[in-house]
Amino acid sequence: MTDQPILVIGATGKTGSRVASKLEAKGVAIRRGARKSDTPFDWDDPTTWAPALSRVSKAYVTYFPDLAFPGAVEKLASFTKVAGESGLQHIVLLSGRGEHFAGLGEDIVRNSGLPFTIVRAAWFAQNFSEGYLRDPILGGVLPMPGGDIAEPIIDIDDIADVVVAALTEEGHVGQRYEVTGPRLMTFAEMAMVLSKTLERPIWHIPITFEDFHANVAASGGEFVADVFSQIARETLDGRNAYVADGVERALGRKPRDFAEFAATAMRAGAWSAAA
């Protein structure tokens, strides 16, 4: 480790906030990359990139809301050039399983000339407790498309642990960690786990991708809904219905189970109406 800080892009997001907190808990100096941080970072304003990268050793890179967002891949390509000119020593990219544009983003980082680690993640468990599915669950339903397709959903704390290991330990450069939970689950099975944890019925409601689009648009707008709906169509077709070993390879332990995530979130008050 050097005395130079690590840049955490998306430091206010689901994974970035956890990565930042875990690095600080280890005594690592960080620079929070966000629009309103002390050293602002904005993907839509390239003039913020070089100052954010100045005198940092490594960077955790996420693109909000997703690498499938129009223009994201092109901006990532431009960013890696600025990062190379700044002397960045290691870039850790968050990617998504089975996503075409995420794959293009991985190729850009892999071919950038920068030392890299890629963390390719399954669907986030925290979407149930912090994201667009929290309010429906409070209402007793889990409305998701994809039918009986199974997904090895992952706890974001596992993603953050892998990222922190990659940024602070030797042996992770050049690795691509495909990170998933320890088992395949259908959304109906996830609803059963949530029912047991919350001690009240949570019903899985199979919906169309059009209905999914409408639900996301209601909370995030049409543009975001377009992106997430396309990702759902891509990834909920069976292509990701397998468990990968990225967490175990990076950390030497099994990933957390969905039931453990649900119990932890419940204890933290995630599904309290006042939360």
Side-chain angles (χ1 to χ4, degrees), residues 171-205:
H172 299 285
V173 171
Q175 295 293 322
R176 187 191 73 195
Y177 296 120
E178 187 166 351
V179 294
T180 73
R183 58 171 167 155
L184 287 169
M185 300 178 70
T186 65
F187 289 109
E189 290 169 335
M190 295 176 206
M192 291 175 62
V193 170
L194 291 170
S195 297
K196 182 177 180 180
T197 303
L198 276 67
E199 297 183 336
R200 58 185 177 84
I202 307 296
W203 301 102
H204 171 232
I205 307 297

Side-chain angles (χ1 to χ4, degrees), residues 3 27 33 46 68 76 82 92 94 97 114 117 119 122 133 166 168 203 212 261 274:
D3 293 330
L76 180 61
V82 176
V92 178
L94 179 66
R97 302 172 82 220
L114 293 167
T117 306
V119 182
L133 291 171
T168 61
W203 301 102
F212 178 76
F261 148 75

Side-chain angles (χ1 to χ4, degrees), residues 56-80:
V56 303
S57 58
K58 305 175 183 181
Y60 173 52
V61 177
T62 64
Y63 191 99
F64 180 82
D66 194 271
L67 283 170
F69 211 68
V73 172
E74 292 79 7
K75 290 174 184 174
L76 180 61
S78 298
F79 172 81
T80 59

Side-chain angles (χ1 to χ4, degrees), residues 24-75:
E24 287 181 326
K26 291 173 70 72
V28 177
I30 67 167
R31 179 175 295 165
R32 295 177 183 270
R35 286 191 177 99
K36 296 182 179 180
S37 57
D38 291 340
T39 305
F41 182 93
D42 187 343
W43 281 110
D44 294 327
D45 183 0
T47 65
T48 65
W49 301 352
L53 285 161
S54 176
R55 297 186 299 278
V56 303
S57 58
K58 305 175 183 181
Y60 173 52
V61 177
T62 64
Y63 191 99
F64 180 82
D66 194 271
L67 283 170
F69 211 68
V73 172
E74 292 79 7
K75 290 174 184 174

Side-chain angles (χ1 to χ4, degrees), residues 39-243:
T39 305
F41 182 93
D42 187 343
W43 281 110
D44 294 327
D45 183 0
T47 65
T48 65
W49 301 352
L53 285 161
S54 176
R55 297 186 299 278
V56 303
S57 58
K58 305 175 183 181
Y60 173 52
V61 177
T62 64
Y63 191 99
F64 180 82
D66 194 271
L67 283 170
F69 211 68
V73 172
E74 292 79 7
K75 290 174 184 174
L76 180 61
S78 298
F79 172 81
T80 59
K81 293 178 182 178
V82 176
E85 293 166 358
S86 77
L88 193 71
Q89 300 168 24
H90 187 187
I91 182 171
V92 178
L93 176 72
L94 179 66
S95 179
R97 302 172 82 220
E99 298 179 31
H100 172 68
F101 287 102
L104 296 179
E106 291 180 13
D107 289 341
I108 285 169
V109 168
R110 189 179 294 108
N111 296 322
S112 67
L114 293 167
F116 70 88
T117 306
I118 292 168
V119 182
R120 179 188 284 180
W123 280 59
F124 296 170
Q126 275 74 6
N127 286 332
F128 293 77
S129 58
E130 303 172 21
Y132 54 89
L133 291 171
R134 177 181 177 271
D135 285 346
I137 288 169
L138 284 175
V141 295
L142 174 57
M144 282 296 293
D148 292 328
I149 293 296
E151 168 73 13
I153 195 162
I154 187 165
D155 189 318
I156 289 179
D157 281 311
D158 281 336
I159 299 174
D161 286 344
V162 170
V163 171
V164 169
L167 289 168
T168 61
E169 299 173 0
E170 298 294 330
H172 299 285
V173 171
Q175 295 293 322
R176 187 191 73 195
Y177 296 120
E178 187 166 351
V179 294
T180 73
R183 58 171 167 155
L184 287 169
M185 300 178 70
T186 65
F187 289 109
E189 290 169 335
M190 295 176 206
M192 291 175 62
V193 170
L194 291 170
S195 297
K196 182 177 180 180
T197 303
L198 276 67
E199 297 183 336
R200 58 185 177 84
I202 307 296
W203 301 102
H204 171 232
I205 307 297
I207 61 174
T208 65
F209 289 105
E210 290 75 18
D211 288 336
F212 178 76
H213 182 282
N215 291 348
V216 177
S219 59
E222 288 288 334
F223 203 33
V224 172
D226 287 345
V227 174
F228 286 158
S229 296
Q230 178 57 36
I231 293 170
R233 288 180 185 275
E234 265 194 307
T235 59
L236 294 178
D237 65 352
R239 72 182 67 185
N240 287 339
Y242 63 92
V243 172

